[in-house]
Amino acid sequence: MSGRLLGPYTVGRVYHGDARELGARVPDGSVDLVFTDPPYLREFVPLYGWLAEWGARVLRPGGFVLAMGGGLYTDQIMRLMSEHLTYYWTFHVALTGQYTGKVHPGGNHTPIITRVKPVYAFVKGWGSPRTVVYDPFAGDGNDKRFHHWGQDMKSARYYIDCFTHERDVVADPFCGGGTTPAVCKHLKRRWWACDNDASAVEQARGRVRNPFYTPRGESEQMVLEFAA
């Protein structure tokens, strides 16, 4: 899966650096899917605008951006992304077991306990998934073994599989501990990924080099096959 050039980059590698700088050198129309999980804090909301603008350039016609996000800033995220891409749908990952989110809209003292995570889907022009997509999809809950904002492999595998074909290129400019690259390697998708956290990049590179080991001693291959 590695060794093929994507502009000045090689697909199948995780790069360290700012996504806006590294992403500027990804060629136009070279990516089939952007699947990513940007940081959710208020200060990072503008990144969704950059993400959509970048996606509009690097995606092939009909390609999608699937971006996870927090529900508190949905109105801003939708507005920013709609300036560059066409809104398709808001999917939801159902948080199972003990995994829940707690938010305080408008600083209200009474919280909302949420058991879903939004996945904002935008498309370049017109496009459709490879197959039927169910909403919501029951994930495994957040996976913090590789990154403090890490997401589970089961839901990543589901969406990447639904929206791409084998050998398609998947880009993740906020890859954290490497869930997207690990899933793409399993699904035989080509991928390009980066993150500005050097320690997270090392974790991601380790997962790609040895996808059959996790800190708990279980096989990620088993996790991925169970989610199929």
Side-chain angles (χ1 to χ4, degrees):
M1 302 307 295
S2 61
R4 294 180 179 270
L5 292 179
L6 182 64
Y9 297 117
T10 303
V11 293
R13 293 184 183 176
V14 182
Y15 291 89
H16 175 229
D18 188 290
R20 292 162 293 189
E21 297 177 3
L22 296 177
R25 288 179 274 173
V26 174
D28 296 356
S30 62
V31 173
D32 298 285
L33 171 68
V34 177
F35 182 81
T36 192
D37 181 33
Y40 299 168
L41 299 178
R42 182 192 298 273
E43 62 191 280
F44 298 116
V45 169
L47 287 177
Y48 286 88
W50 169 83
L51 180 66
E53 183 177 13
W54 181 70
R57 182 180 67 79
V58 302
L59 284 171
R60 296 187 173 99
F64 283 82
V65 171
L66 298 184
M68 294 186 177
L72 271 178
Y73 309 114
T74 295
D75 59 333
Q76 299 175 53
I77 291 171
M78 297 286 284
R79 176 178 55 79
L80 289 168
M81 297 190 73
S82 294
E83 292 178 2
H84 307 284
L85 296 169
T86 301
Y87 174 68
Y88 184 78
W89 187 254
T90 301
F91 296 100
H92 299 86
V93 177
L95 304 177
T96 58
Q98 76 275 26
Y99 297 102
T100 60
K102 182 168 69 172
V103 296
H104 296 263
N108 197 302
H109 292 298
T110 305
I112 294 176
I113 304 300
T114 176
R115 298 188 65 86
V116 295
K117 183 184 298 295
V119 182
Y120 305 104
F122 285 78
V123 62
K124 181 177 180 177
W126 184 93
S128 64
R130 181 186 64 81
T131 186
V132 173
V133 186
Y134 288 89
D135 185 34
F137 176 77
D140 283 338
N142 299 332
D143 185 349
K144 309 304 183 187
R145 294 170 299 169
F146 300 98
H147 192 274
H148 59 281
W149 287 338
Q151 304 296 338
D152 70 292
M153 298 183 72
K154 183 179 178 181
S155 57
R157 185 206 183 282
Y158 180 73
Y159 291 111
I160 292 171
D161 186 42
C162 286
F163 280 85
T164 60
H165 297 82
E166 190 171 310
R167 303 294 298 169
D168 278 356
V169 175
V170 180
D172 186 349
F174 308 105
C175 75
T179 297
T180 296
V183 168
C184 286
K185 185 171 184 179
H186 173 79
L187 291 177
K188 296 182 173 60
R189 270 57 167 175
R190 295 179 292 162
W191 50 269
W192 176 90
C194 70
D195 200 273
N196 66 354
D197 183 334
S199 61
V201 167
E202 285 306 309
Q203 289 273 31
R205 289 170 177 169
R207 292 176 76 181
V208 173
R209 286 193 299 266
N210 184 12
F212 301 102
Y213 172 79
T214 70
R216 293 192 302 215
E218 65 192 3
S219 166
E220 286 193 345
Q221 184 80 7
M222 293 171 58
V223 174
L224 291 164
E225 290 176 349
F226 177 76

